[in-house]
Amino acid sequence: MNRREFIKGVGLGAACLAVGQFSLVAEGRGKSMEIKTVKLYENGFMTQPFAMGLEDGEDKFDKSVKYRSTLQNFLIDTGDEVILVDTGLPLEQPDMVPDVNAPIYLGSRIDDYVTALTKLGYQKEQVTKILVTHKHPDHTGELRSFPNAKIYISRVEADAMELKGDNVVRVDFTDGAYENFAKCQKIADGVYYIFAPGHTTGNSIVIAENEGLRYIIHGDVTYTDEALYQNKLSVATEDKTAARDTLNKVRAFMEKHKTVYLSTHTPLGYENLAVKKVVDLANMPAPIPPTMNYTTQKATGKYVCSVCGYVYDPAVGDPEHGIPAGTAFEDLSADWKCPRCRQSKDKFNKA
């Protein structure tokens, strides 16, 4: 008995009891599609300057204004195959120590990626494809756990990561335009992988079509939905011009199509999914303040880049940039930048 027959046998209501699950019926295919949330971190926050300060400058925004932050990725079960969109942080990644002055704090860990996937009822061996939105470790950390899955990633990002292996598909987006997006690759019926650079130079988004709705599953086109509604870009961006073009296209797409926005770094991602909330750009929902009651955690002396996940370890230093082993983070010069994403020192959190 295959998985679809099992679900039919136990009844759709019973099958829908899994955490983070939402059932959809694919248009014209006669098969159900399920989009699920792989929940990894909860109860974090981000500041308004971090989430919205790229074009106007961080000083134009109020750092005391904070939005909820989390970390989750998404899964698409087409009925015929299991497709992941990103794979979370590496299992061994040190967690951030809560710091109310940090630009972004992911929150407390719920599960590592593979454990969260198992809790949704899936084994690693069932995953057939992985669609990578971009190269950062909070989106690619456990690619290594799925050697049997085809990894679809834009050629730009694959080359930046120096990915190797017969299961790596360097995507050149050769299937032409998808609506107002110039380049796409069709992955399965109703599932499209779309080139959307900006946050990184090879960034992509995923659009799933079901029940007359479009589901945009993205990495970091915006960090929080409030930025989408207010048409603002995060400072965590490699290419400002491309990021502006991508956000313009996303918003124009939403004006034409009923769209559910599934974000990685805000609980609004899975909250929108649960109720099929369609974006209405003219009416931003009232923001919900984050929970700020954190327990004290002991710092290790290491620091984590809040944008790309790079870990600065004083025992190692940054020898490629002239920083010898034994250099404390506090002793790094003010103009030192993250070796991976080139963000400034103030974007690092204690680990």
Side-chain angles (χ1 to χ4, degrees), residues 86-287:
D86 294 337
T87 61
L89 283 161
L91 174 64
E92 68 275 12
Q93 178 85 3
D95 293 335
M96 297 176 180
V97 173
D99 179 358
V100 296
N101 296 312
I104 183 172
Y105 167 58
L106 293 182
S108 57
R109 188 188 297 243
I110 302 170
D111 283 310
D112 65 88
Y113 189 91
V114 174
T115 299
L117 186 68
T118 302
K119 287 183 177 180
L120 286 178
Y122 294 89
Q123 300 302 312
K124 296 187 294 182
E125 294 76 17
Q126 292 177 267
V127 177
T128 54
K129 296 172 182 174
I130 302 172
L131 309 181
V132 178
T133 62
H134 63 285
K135 62 191 175 186
H136 291 159
D138 52 338
H139 300 261
T140 61
E142 287 300 327
L143 289 177
R144 61 192 177 183
S145 292
F146 303 93
N148 298 326
K150 289 289 187 182
I151 299 171
Y152 290 76
I153 180 170
S154 72
R155 184 173 296 276
V156 175
E157 301 294 271
D159 290 348
M161 294 179 66
E162 300 181 347
L163 285 182
K164 295 179 174 62
D166 293 338
N167 65 325
V168 177
V169 180
R170 281 171 159 76
V171 179
D172 292 311
F173 304 94
T174 56
D175 286 343
Y178 178 88
E179 299 289 342
N180 60 323
F181 296 96
K183 297 180 180 180
C184 88
Q185 197 81 27
K186 184 176 180 179
I187 301 300
D189 286 346
V191 180
Y192 297 87
Y193 187 52
I194 295 165
F195 190 53
H199 176 63
T200 63
T201 55
N203 197 74
S204 306
I205 63 175
V206 176
I207 296 182
E209 303 176 345
N210 279 283
E211 287 190 321
L213 298 177
R214 310 294 176 96
Y215 292 77
I216 290 184
I217 306 173
H218 70 100
D220 305 327
V221 172
T222 60
Y223 270 75
T224 186
D225 291 18
E226 287 86 355
L228 168 74
Y229 281 89
Q230 296 186 43
N231 198 17
K232 300 296 182 183
L233 292 166
S234 170
V235 296
T237 301
E238 288 186 358
D239 186 329
K240 181 190 293 188
T241 301
R244 168 45 58 195
D245 181 63
T246 288
L247 184 54
N248 287 347
K249 286 177 177 175
V250 166
R251 287 169 55 88
F253 182 88
M254 291 171 168
E255 295 283 5
K256 185 177 179 181
H257 301 284
K258 294 180 179 179
T259 304
V260 182
Y261 195 58
L262 306 185
S263 301
T264 297
H265 288 293
T266 169
L268 288 164
Y270 53 79
E271 292 170 2
N272 292 341
L273 177 61
V275 298
K276 295 193 294 185
K277 183 173 180 56
V278 172
V279 173
D280 177 0
L281 292 174
N283 294 285
M284 185 179 80

